[in-house]
Amino acid sequence: HLIKSLCLVSEKVLNFSLAQFHSEADKNRVYKSWTIFRKLYFNKKPFIKICNENAVKINIYSGKYDSVIPSQYLTSFKDKIKNCNFQELPCGHSQILTYFIKNISSKIFI
């Protein structure tokens, strides 16, 4: 791939992207997600403050092989929350939800 040879994106991101673009519907789904989520931003400081002041328990799940949102991006956020459970799942970005549903959700949602 030209993108890979020019080093425009990492090989992991390229492989993830190619896996998501099997059909026109897949391409549209990813495009809509990217265009919506690129504008998504929230001020973390008030969120962290409210969680800590009210002893809110936060569960954060990340994929060990996630090249879209790597676990290290969440480190500073999770370290600031007093009551935070961080779990790195043995999967990539596109498998996190499936892995969570099959292996974790029944232990949380009784």
Side-chain angles (χ1 to χ4, degrees):
H1 286 97
L2 178 63
I3 293 173
K4 182 179 172 185
S5 64
L6 294 175
C7 299
L8 297 176
V9 295
S10 74
E11 185 174 355
K12 287 183 178 181
V13 172
L14 177 62
N15 290 339
F16 169 79
S17 299
L18 293 174
Q20 300 301 309
F21 299 143
H22 292 297
S23 69
E24 195 63 34
D26 291 340
K27 291 176 190 176
N28 287 332
R29 179 182 46 79
V30 171
Y31 175 77
K32 286 178 184 177
S33 296
W34 284 352
T35 55
I36 291 170
F37 290 129
R38 72 180 172 165
K39 296 177 184 177
L40 182 63
Y41 175 81
F42 71 97
N43 189 341
K44 292 177 273 221
K45 286 182 182 182
F47 178 80
I48 292 167
K49 183 180 178 190
I50 290 168
C51 289
N52 289 336
E53 287 176 352
N54 296 286
V56 176
K57 183 174 181 179
I58 301 293
N59 294 308
I60 298 176
Y61 300 94
S62 178
K64 183 175 184 176
Y65 309 108
D66 189 338
S67 55
V68 178
I69 306 172
S71 295
Q72 61 264 28
Y73 286 8
L74 301 169
T75 301
S76 65
F77 179 68
K78 74 172 178 67
D79 290 346
K80 292 175 183 168
I81 298 175
K82 293 177 185 173
N83 197 5
C84 182
N85 173 40
F86 180 81
Q87 211 171 351
E88 191 173 58
L89 308 177
C91 59
H93 187 78
S94 59
Q95 296 91 27
I96 291 174
L97 184 58
T98 303
Y99 186 91
F100 177 83
I101 290 168
K102 287 182 180 178
N103 300 288
I104 299 170
S105 63
S106 62
K107 297 173 188 168
I108 297 174
F109 306 110
I110 300 172

